[in-house]
Amino acid sequence: MSVGNKKDLVIKDLHKGFIVNNEEIDILTDINLNVAEGEFLSIVGHSGCGKSTLLKIIAGLVDYSVGMVTFGGGEIRKPGTDRGMVFQEHRLLPWLTVTENIDFGLYNITKEQKEAIIAEHIELVGLKGFENAYPHQLSGGMAQRAAMARALVNKPQVLLLDEPFGALDALTRIMMQKEILRIWKKEKMTMILVTHDIDEAIYLGDRVVVMSSRPGKIRKILPVELERPRDRSNVEFANIRKVIFSEFFADEKQYLDYAI
Ligand SMILES: Nc1ncnc2c1ncn2[C@@H]1O[C@H](COP(=O)(O)OP(=O)(O)OP(=O)(O)O)[C@@H](O)[C@H]1O
Ligand SMILES: [Mg+2]
C-alpha cells in the first residue's frame, strides 16, 4: 500500500458537469484523490453529491473533460477488465442462471479455462450449490454475491462498489460486509466502496472520504487506523463515527439534531 505504487489510482483536479436543459450543471469539482494499490477506500456523502458519477468515471462508463484520472499511470477513458463494478441493484440477467450470468461478464478466456474460473468465483462468493439457480430463485444477498462474482471473474485490480448492500436487510448487510473483507484480503485488490452507511464505511475502509454537495467536493478524508476485524462498539470507532457525522451535516448545521 505504498504511495507512488505502479497500480495506484490517481484523480487530479477532476471536474465534471452535465448538460441539463442546455445548461451545464457542476456535479463534481476539484476532486483530488490517490488510492493506493490494495487500499480499501470508503466514500460517503449526501444523495446526489456525485458519488455514482465518480465511480462511473473511474469505471470508464462516464466521460470527463477537465482533470485527469489514471490507473497505473495510464489514462482512464473507457471500461477495462482491470476495473470491475458492482451496482446497487444486482443487474443480473433474469433469463440466465448464476453460472451463465457470470460467464456473460467473462472476457479473454479459452473455453477450457472458463469452467474452472467460474467455479472458483462461485466458491469465492459462497454460492456453491446455486450454480443453476435463476436470479428470481435467489435472495437479495445471494443475488448480490452473484453480481460480485460477475464483477470479480476477470480478476480486476480495482473493484468499485456502488451501494452494493443498500437493498439488503441489516443482518444480511453485516454478513456481506464480512464477506467483502474476506474477498478483499484473499484477492488483495483495491476496493472503493460508496455507501450511505457511516458504520459500514468505518468498518471496511482504510480511509473514509466524506463528500459535500452541490457541486460534489471532497470535504474530508479520515484514516481509520483500527485493527480488523473492527468492533463497532469500540470507543475509537464511536469517535470516528462522531467526526464523520459532524462533517456530513456541517453544511446544514444540523449536526446536533442527528447526533447519536
Ligand atoms: N447522465 C446524467 N445527466 C444529467 N445529470 C446527471 C446524469 N447522471 C447524474 N446526474 C446528476 O448528477 C448528480 C449526481 O448524481 P449521482 O448519481 O452521481 O449522485 P449520488 O451521489 O450517487 O447520489 P445517490 O446517493 O442518490 O446515489 C445528480 O444531481 C444527478 O441528477
Ligand atoms: Mg449513487
Side-chain angles (χ1 to χ4, degrees):
M1 243 215 294
S2 63
V3 175
N5 201 307
K6 282 208 296 285
K7 288 295 178 184
D8 287 354
L9 178 83
V10 179
I11 304 175
K12 203 161 170 8
D13 300 327
L14 175 71
H15 177 93
K16 174 71 190 170
F18 279 120
I19 308 281
V20 181
N21 297 329
N22 293 326
E23 202 187 319
E24 173 151 337
I25 311 276
D26 294 336
I27 301 298
L28 293 167
T29 197
D30 293 332
I31 305 289
N32 283 289
L33 187 64
N34 280 28
V35 190
E37 180 179 358
E39 179 173 6
F40 201 125
L41 186 84
S42 303
I43 302 178
V44 295
H46 290 282
S47 182
C49 75
K51 303 179 297 296
S52 295
T53 305
L54 181 60
L55 281 198
K56 285 178 194 162
I57 288 174
I58 298 170
L61 298 169
V62 164
D63 199 11
Y64 59 96
S65 51
V66 181
M68 183 65 86
V69 184
T70 58
F71 176 61
E75 200 177 330
I76 292 178
R77 285 291 171 190
K78 55 182 186 180
T81 51
D82 54 353
R83 286 151 289 136
M85 185 149 172
V86 180
F87 300 87
Q88 182 163 358
E89 63 301 348
H90 59 68
R91 299 196 181 188
L92 298 174
L93 297 170
W95 58 88
L96 298 181
T97 64
V98 167
T99 299
E100 290 163 347
N101 263 289
I102 298 170
D103 189 355
F104 192 76
L106 195 52
Y107 297 100
N108 307 328
I109 207 95
T110 62
K111 235 178 165 181
E112 294 71 43
Q113 292 170 306
K114 225 176 204 182
E115 230 170 85
I117 287 190
I118 293 175
E120 175 198 332
H121 284 83
I122 285 178
E123 170 115 43
L124 179 71
V125 299
L127 272 184
K128 220 159 170 238
F130 294 90
E131 290 84 348
N132 299 318
Y134 287 89
H136 76 272
Q137 297 171 314
L138 304 174
S139 69
M142 287 158 82
Q144 273 310 35
R145 285 171 192 265
M148 236 176 314
R150 187 184 49 188
L152 288 167
V153 80
N154 293 305
K155 300 258 175 222
Q157 290 152 309
V158 180
L159 186 66
L160 305 162
L161 300 146
D162 192 0
E163 275 280 335
F165 314 135
L168 304 180
D169 67 87
L171 289 179
T172 310
R173 193 171 180 136
I174 286 174
M175 230 167 68
M176 292 300 286
Q177 291 164 2
K178 287 190 174 162
E179 289 288 279
I180 204 82
L181 267 190
R182 179 180 61 77
I183 292 169
W184 174 65
K185 281 185 184 154
K186 182 165 187 288
E187 303 292 305
K188 298 183 171 57
M189 59 178 57
T190 308
M191 289 200 181
I192 305 180
L193 169 86
V194 161
T195 177
H196 284 113
D197 182 333
I198 291 173
D199 275 22
E200 181 170 286
I202 304 169
Y203 181 77
L204 293 172
D206 290 315
R207 291 185 296 161
V208 179
V209 174
V210 184
M211 289 182 65
S212 55
S213 318
R214 276 170 258 135
K217 273 189 186 176
I218 293 178
R219 172 182 278 285
K220 191 145 199 154
I221 303 180
L222 285 123
V224 184
E225 281 153 1
L226 303 173
E227 291 274 313
R228 292 186 176 92
R230 293 174 179 161
D231 177 359
R232 289 163 222 255
S233 59
N234 176 294
V235 177
E236 284 172 73
F237 196 108
N239 284 338
I240 297 172
R241 182 191 294 131
K242 210 168 172 179
V243 174
I244 294 178
F245 260 91
S246 66
E247 292 294 338
F248 210 75
F249 292 107
D251 288 339
E252 290 84 351
K253 305 210 182 322
Q254 287 170 337
Y255 167 56
L256 288 176
D257 293 342
Y258 289 94
I260 49 165

